[in-house]
Amino acid sequence: MIAIKAEIEDKEKRQNERYKCAATIKWSYFNRRDFHIAEVKNLSTGGLYFVSSHPVLPASTLVIRTKNFNPHNSKTKNNIFLRTIYVADIKWCQEY
């Protein structure tokens, strides 16, 4: 995983600073067995942005696991890091 401070091109107001991140994850809906592969694009203390070829339903709960996790490369200078596993509530998603 590589993480550096993300440049926000538009004038969005976010609660937490975002960091660019290049990592592969697998995710599933909570209590489901089918996992899907996705790419993390950025992260913050308040969230994770990833791109998946499988649709994600708004307001759903996901289990997210990192693939090929390397904990030695997982932290930014501000101690923001990609964890090995998350249980996450989807607050926002967009279909491309």
Side-chain angles (χ1 to χ4, degrees), residues 1-93:
M1 193 252 335
I2 300 168
I4 58 173
K5 185 177 176 183
E7 296 294 328
I8 304 299
E9 293 179 11
D10 55 5
K11 305 229 185 229
E12 290 183 24
K13 293 188 178 184
R14 297 193 179 263
Q15 290 180 341
N16 305 105
E17 216 169 10
R18 293 251 180 221
Y19 293 87
K20 287 184 181 178
C21 179
T24 303
I25 59 169
K26 59 182 186 176
W27 66 270
S28 71
Y29 291 106
F30 193 75
N31 288 337
R32 300 284 174 95
R33 292 179 186 240
D34 297 333
F35 276 90
H36 309 283
I37 303 299
E39 294 296 320
V40 176
K41 299 300 182 182
N42 68 51
L43 71 146
S44 72
T45 56
L48 182 71
Y49 168 60
F50 66 88
V51 176
S52 175
S53 61
H54 190 82
V56 177
L57 297 173
S60 58
T61 300
L62 305 182
V63 174
I64 300 171
R65 297 175 189 218
T66 55
K67 284 187 65 163
N68 304 323
F69 180 69
N70 183 348
H72 300 292
N73 296 329
S74 68
K75 185 166 41 167
T76 69
K77 65 181 179 181
N78 294 333
N79 292 323
I80 307 299
F81 58 93
L82 186 64
R83 299 173 188 212
T84 55
I85 189 166
Y86 295 86
V87 175
D89 294 324
I90 300 301
K91 302 292 183 188
W92 181 90
C93 60

